[in-house]
Amino acid sequence: MEQFLALAKNARGGSAVALIQQVLAQPGVFVFGELLEIPSIAALADSADHSAYYTLLKVFAYGTYADYKAHSPLLPELAPPQLQKLRFLSIVSLAATTKQIKYSDLLQQLDIPNVRQLEDLIIQAIYADVVRGKLDQERSILHVEFAIGRDITPESMSTMFATLTKWNAQCDLALKSIVTCMEQASKDRHSFLQEKEAHGRAVEHATKRVASAPDTEFANGSADLPTAKRYVTNPTKRKHP
C-alpha cells in the first residue's frame, strides 16, 4: 500500500482514477482510509468527471457489495478482481456482527446464485487470509474464527472514542478495587502474623512454666495457669504401682 500512497500524492485527474482502479484490484490490499485522506484523491469528490471513482473507493473502504448494488447505476463497473475483493470485504463486515454466518445471508448479500460458488468464494477468502473459519455444509453455516479489520468511518470515530473512554473508566475502577483488596489483604496478613507471633510467645511461655513447675503445683491446681495444664505431670517423676 505504501507505493500507492506515494504515487497518489502527485496523481491528478485521470491518473488518480487509474491509481484507484489499480488499488481496488491489487491482491492483499483491503484498507483504503489513508488513500482517501490524500488531498489529490479527496479532490476527486468535487470532480464532475471522476467523483464516481472517489465514491467507489469509499464503498470499498466502508461499505459492502450490497451498497455497491444499490448505487451501481452511478458507479463504475467492477473488474472481476475488484468484484471478488468487495465480496471478501462484505464477508468481513458480516463477521463483525456474528461469528456464525448463514449461507442464506451470504447468498443474498453477495448476490451469488448457488452454494457451490459461495463455498468457492469463502475458500478463496480463507486462502487470502481475509477470514479464517470452517464451512458447516450440514447446517449451511460459516463459522468465523478470525476476520481482518476494516476502515472506520469518520462518523464512527466519536462513538468509538466514547466507548473506549467508558472502558478506560471501568478499568480504572477495577484497578482501584484491586489495589484496595491488596491493601486490605496486606493488613490482614500483618494482623495474622502479629497474632501468630503473640500466640507462639504465649505457648512458649506456658511450656517453660510447665517444664519448670514442681509436681505439687499441678496437684493442687495453679490459679494462674490454664485449667487443662493442672493435669500435666512430669513423666520422669511418675510413680508406677
Side-chain angles (χ1 to χ4, degrees):
M1 188 63 179
E2 288 76 11
Q3 60 177 335
F4 292 113
L5 295 175
L7 292 171
K9 292 178 181 179
N10 298 317
R12 298 289 185 277
S15 61
V17 168
L19 181 66
I20 289 175
Q21 292 283 53
Q22 292 179 44
V23 170
L24 297 184
Q26 180 69 24
V29 177
F30 296 102
V31 290
F32 311 95
E34 289 182 278
L35 189 60
L36 284 166
E37 293 175 355
I38 293 178
S40 59
I41 300 298
L44 296 177
D46 300 322
S47 170
D49 296 327
H50 307 306
S51 60
Y53 290 92
Y54 181 78
T55 302
L56 181 63
L57 182 60
K58 290 183 67 176
V59 170
F60 272 76
Y62 311 124
T64 63
Y65 182 69
D67 297 323
Y68 173 81
K69 286 277 291 183
H71 301 89
S72 58
L74 304 176
L75 296 174
E77 184 177 353
L78 296 178
Q82 296 171 341
L83 174 59
Q84 183 188 67
K85 180 182 289 190
L86 187 54
R87 282 173 167 163
F88 283 177
L89 292 169
S90 301
I91 296 175
V92 172
S93 292
L94 285 171
T97 61
T98 177
K99 298 304 179 184
Q100 296 187 1
I101 310 175
K102 297 178 181 179
Y103 278 14
S104 57
D105 293 336
L106 289 167
L107 289 168
Q108 179 182 3
Q109 293 291 322
L110 304 180
D111 193 24
I112 294 178
N114 58 63
V115 171
R116 176 64 181 273
Q117 292 184 28
L118 173 63
E119 290 183 338
D120 288 345
L121 178 73
I122 294 172
I123 291 171
Q124 291 168 351
I126 292 173
Y127 276 118
D129 207 27
V130 175
V131 295
R132 297 176 199 154
K134 297 178 181 179
L135 298 174
D136 187 341
Q137 295 177 318
E138 183 177 351
R139 299 172 57 197
S140 297
I141 289 176
L142 169 61
H143 297 276
V144 179
E145 299 171 356
F146 162 84
I148 62 172
R150 294 199 63 184
D151 292 295
I152 301 172
T153 63
E155 296 78 15
S156 300
M157 291 299 293
S158 58
T159 301
M160 178 175 289
F161 179 77
T163 300
L164 291 174
T165 300
K166 182 178 179 181
W167 176 79
N168 185 63
Q170 292 174 339
C171 288
D172 287 341
L173 289 175
L175 181 60
K176 290 178 182 179
S177 178
I178 292 172
V179 170
T180 300
C181 290
M182 291 178 64
E183 291 175 347
Q184 185 60 48
S186 178
K187 291 179 181 179
D188 292 343
R189 182 177 183 276
H190 182 69
S191 298
F192 170 77
L193 292 176
Q194 285 184 322
E195 293 177 2
K196 182 179 180 181
E197 184 179 354
H199 177 73
R201 288 196 300 267
V203 170
E204 183 181 3
H205 177 69
T207 301
K208 289 180 180 179
R209 293 198 59 183
V210 169
S212 61
D215 291 346
T216 54
E217 180 178 354
F218 298 101
N220 297 329
S222 176
D224 57 347
L225 288 175
T227 303
K229 294 188 176 65
R230 298 179 183 178
Y231 302 99
V232 177
T233 58
N234 190 329
T236 59
K237 297 181 180 183
R238 184 180 299 171
K239 295 181 180 180
H240 299 278

